[in-house]
Amino acid sequence: MEKISTLIEHILAVSPLPTAIVDTNMRYLAASEKWISFYNLHNTPLIGRSHYEVFPEISDRWKEIHAQCLQGKDQNAINDRFERADGSVMYLKWEVRHFLGDDGKIAGMMMTSEDVTVNNDVVMNENRFQLFMNHFPGLAWIAGADGVLKYANKCFYDTLHLTPDVVGKKSEEIFGHEIGMIANYKIEQALEKGQGIDFQQTVRDQQGHPKVYKIYKFPFADENSGGRMVGAIAFDITKSTLLRQELDKSEAQFKLAFEHSLIGMALISPEGNWKRVNKSLCQMLGYTEKEIKALSIKDITHPDDLEKTASMLSDFATGKMERTKYEKRYLHKNGNVIWVIIAATMLHDYDGTPLYYVSQIEDITKRKEIENDLVLSEKKYRTIFENVQDVFYQTDHQGLVTEISPSIEQYSGYPRHEIIGKPVANFYFYPQDRERIIESLRTHGFVIDFEVRLKTSDQELRYASVNARLIVENGVIVATEGSMRDVTTRKFQENALKALNSELTASNEQKSKLLSIIGHDLRNPIAGSLQLLSLTIDDLPETDPEQLQNYLLAMKRELSSANDLLEDLLKWAKSQFNSVTFNPIKIDNVQQLLNKCIQTVEAMAIKKNIEVVIELKEPIDLEADRAMLETIIRNLLTNAIKFTPVKGKVTIAVATNERGIRFSVSDTGVGISKEQLALLFNQTSLSTFGTEGEKGTGLGLGLCYDFVARHKGQIWAESEVGKGSSFFFTLPPIEK
């Protein structure tokens, strides 16, 4: 430990400030008498002891300050809070400085401190006053008797857009001559009366808008100078002033509205007494204002409504209800009953006590009479609606059923409640019927006797005749309404009659067709054969064998044609009159069946040099009526050869697929137009000449169609003009 010189010790001993010197380990080297007495250390050894041992309560903050000073950072404070070991608080003015040793390194630290607690209290009081005044929500200032500004708070400066430079100036300099004169006058008033005064003053802000202030001024003496001064505080009451003006204006408007309202208005006490009434209410009830104020609500209420009225008055008075709107009956002065609708609101004072309720009373007597008439009308309509046999309905613009008569259950099996709210489209058997009726409604706006097919709850078909119209409001479709009548029985009778007529027509057509074929197509070859036979007999002696052979061949051709026609005719007739028996058998040699069919048309093919090819990749077993199957194949082959030019090709193919067994007969012939293709299987006679003038019976394809249908198969054709045709038919697979 370095020694402190005697001179320094003497100087330190008489130091006017509490001072102590410590080394780098915070051990005392010296301390002044002021330090010892200031910290009450008279009986405490110091020299050589650690500062932290002497003051064990010292905080980490102070330790950090000491450490920084011993690192070369000197510090000080003029007003620092310090809590002593006994719990008392004091405020210190302190400083710590490091000093260097002979080696030029930091050798220790000198500490000084001074108690400034008394001065701090004064400063604190001033600071607290200043803090309070700066947070004061109003303007506050102090002026002398001569009008010179002594003090002003932050709100004063901010509100009036002034700076502290105005302190020491007179009112006229700060606010102008007019306002300054008023300020000085109010200062004189407060000083003369010796008590506070209050008043309102209007000034304009920087934008020229008027601002209203409530100002309080009061005299007081300055203890330091003994002079007379006036304190003042002011509050901006512009909003409350405007609110009061608006309130006054609203009250005037309410009075005008109350007195001149076209509906009755009244202020009624919680007990039910009329406090104030307007002219409209007096005219409504037939009383003068004086007469009605002498009565209570109960005095003019209809006897049947007295109990309800008393209950509501009680609820208003007890606070159970604050507002209501209801209908009731009053008695006119002449005794007539008046229906009114009342809207009432209870008003309370500041502590919640009921004052009176404001009522708006409208005469609805005429409306009630109309409503009663409507009720009777509705009752009549409901009676008709619920008992009529036809079904009346309404739908909205989206097609949802909004109303339907109970008779719907009788016809459809659906209860009425299961239909209302559902899309009307749900009840059409065929969606296209819904589309047709919508289109007709859009086009004409209505439909009459429009026939649709509906379904019952059991999914049965029912026919209905509909009369309906669109409901249009402001050019917009908002709904549809109409009626339906069940015409299922009539429709079934009409259908049965149509079917019978169709059968009779078809039967007549079949008879006419049969007679036509017999009379024309069958007669021609027989007549030709007879003529050839007559010629042959007449010229027999002179006819050479070659010519005779030609005659006989021609006769054979004519008779063969007649025979083929007769065969087809008989089969067709049997088919049409359902006299052909259907005997399906198992056929395990399709190749043999195809060869047999080709043999029947071989002469035609050879004559035109047409190649007939079979495509059968694998053995196929099938089940069919052999005679019908041969007839189908033979007719298709005959037609293919007939419409194929010389040196053409006809292919018959058989294959299996997912639908069963498919047969096809394709040719390289002239083809068929789209128009003729559509008429091939309509079971009407369609006979055309072949490429060499061959004549057909016109019955072959119709016969094919019938025989394929007997097998529950399908037949169709594909063709392109100039490139040939393909005829297809299918037979179901063998059931295993």
Side-chain angles (χ1 to χ4, degrees), residues 224-449:
N224 294 326
S225 62
R228 295 188 304 163
M229 293 191 297
V230 172
I233 57 175
F235 297 97
D236 186 347
I237 60 170
T238 305
K239 289 184 179 179
S240 60
T241 302
L242 293 175
L243 186 62
R244 168 57 62 185
Q245 292 173 353
E246 288 294 328
L247 188 61
D248 293 341
K249 183 179 178 181
S250 295
E251 187 173 347
Q253 290 174 341
F254 170 76
K255 184 176 181 180
L256 285 173
F258 185 91
E259 294 296 338
H260 299 284
S261 173
L262 295 178
I263 64 172
M265 295 190 69
L267 301 181
I268 304 171
S269 72
E271 297 76 28
N273 297 317
W274 303 94
K275 303 282 288 182
R276 185 176 175 182
V277 294
N278 69 349
K279 293 179 181 179
S280 295
L281 183 62
C282 293
Q283 292 172 356
M284 184 190 307
L285 299 176
Y287 294 95
T288 64
E289 182 179 354
K290 184 177 180 181
E291 289 173 335
I292 201 169
K293 284 185 176 180
L295 302 171
S296 71
I297 292 177
K298 297 178 182 179
D299 293 333
I300 59 173
T301 295
H302 191 280
D304 294 342
D305 293 338
L306 279 173
E307 184 177 350
K308 181 180 178 181
T309 299
S311 175
M312 280 197 292
L313 286 173
S314 175
D315 289 343
F316 268 124
T318 58
K320 290 183 179 179
M321 182 168 58
E322 291 187 357
R323 61 179 62 85
T324 187
K325 189 173 184 179
Y326 64 101
E327 294 179 2
K328 66 173 290 185
R329 287 163 290 184
Y330 280 136
L331 296 176
H332 193 274
K333 185 177 180 180
N334 61 15
N336 292 337
V337 176
I338 300 174
W339 274 99
V340 296
I341 183 169
I342 300 174
T345 302
M346 176 61 79
L347 300 181
H348 302 82
D349 62 12
Y350 66 93
D351 63 355
T353 303
L355 292 174
Y356 50 80
Y357 58 90
V358 181
S359 293
Q360 294 179 326
I361 306 167
E362 184 179 358
D363 187 346
I364 58 169
T365 306
K366 290 184 179 179
R367 192 187 81 186
K368 275 293 184 180
E369 291 173 356
I370 294 172
E371 286 178 357
N372 290 335
D373 292 340
L374 285 174
V375 169
L376 292 175
S377 223
E378 171 70 16
K379 187 176 181 180
K380 291 177 183 178
Y381 163 76
R382 181 58 60 181
T383 301
I384 296 171
F385 179 77
E386 292 179 352
N387 294 282
V388 71
Q389 293 304 303
D390 286 350
V391 178
F392 288 92
Y393 72 93
Q394 289 181 336
T395 65
D396 64 12
H397 68 286
Q398 295 179 329
L400 300 179
V401 180
T402 56
E403 184 59 279
I404 195 162
S405 58
S407 53
I408 187 64
E409 186 170 359
Q410 176 184 348
Y411 295 118
S412 70
Y414 286 106
R416 180 169 169 268
H417 67 273
E418 289 185 6
I419 296 179
I420 293 177
K422 301 294 177 58
V424 70
N426 291 358
F427 306 101
Y428 280 87
F429 202 93
Y430 296 107
Q432 55 266 36
D433 285 2
R434 169 71 174 158
E435 294 169 4
R436 286 190 304 108
I437 196 170
I438 287 176
E439 183 61 30
S440 186
L441 282 169
R442 285 176 178 168
T443 303
H444 306 291
F446 64 91
V447 293
I448 297 175
D449 291 334

Side-chain angles (χ1 to χ4, degrees), residues 167-187:
V167 174
K169 295 182 180 181
K170 291 188 176 183
S171 300
E172 292 89 337
E173 296 180 70
I174 301 172
F175 302 111
H177 180 73
E178 184 178 349
I179 296 178
M181 291 295 291
I182 296 174
N184 291 335
Y185 173 70
K186 296 298 182 182
I187 290 174

Side-chain angles (χ1 to χ4, degrees), residues 49-174:
R49 292 184 66 190
S50 170
H51 180 65
Y52 302 139
E53 183 181 352
V54 177
F55 295 100
E57 72 276 10
I58 200 165
S59 66
D60 291 339
R61 171 176 170 264
W62 283 103
K63 291 178 181 179
E64 179 64 25
I65 292 171
H66 297 156
Q68 290 178 358
C69 182
L70 292 172
Q71 293 294 324
K73 182 180 179 181
D74 297 339
Q75 299 185 53
N76 64 78
I78 60 173
N79 187 24
D80 200 0
R81 187 177 185 276
F82 181 74
E83 186 173 345
R84 307 189 69 165
D86 60 2
S88 61
V89 176
M90 61 190 304
Y91 288 86
L92 298 177
K93 177 181 180 181
W94 57 267
E95 184 174 5
V96 292
R97 287 184 175 274
H98 69 279
F99 61 87
L100 304 179
D102 294 338
D103 57 1
K105 295 181 180 179
I106 296 175
M109 173 178 63
M110 182 174 69
M111 301 181 292
T112 62
S113 60
E114 182 181 357
D115 186 356
V116 293
T117 304
V118 175
N119 295 335
N120 190 66
D121 287 341
V122 175
V123 172
M124 283 182 61
N125 288 336
E126 291 180 356
N127 289 341
R128 286 173 180 170
F129 171 76
Q130 187 65 47
L131 184 65
F132 170 77
M133 292 308 293
N134 283 340
H135 286 83
F136 186 69
L139 289 73
W141 69 96
I142 300 172
D146 55 359
V148 175
L149 182 65
K150 302 293 185 180
Y151 165 82
N153 69 346
K154 185 175 183 297
C155 185
F156 180 91
Y157 295 131
D158 293 345
T159 303
L160 301 178
H161 302 283
L162 299 172
T163 63
D165 296 342
V166 297
V167 174
K169 295 182 180 181
K170 291 188 176 183
S171 300
E172 292 89 337
E173 296 180 70
I174 301 172

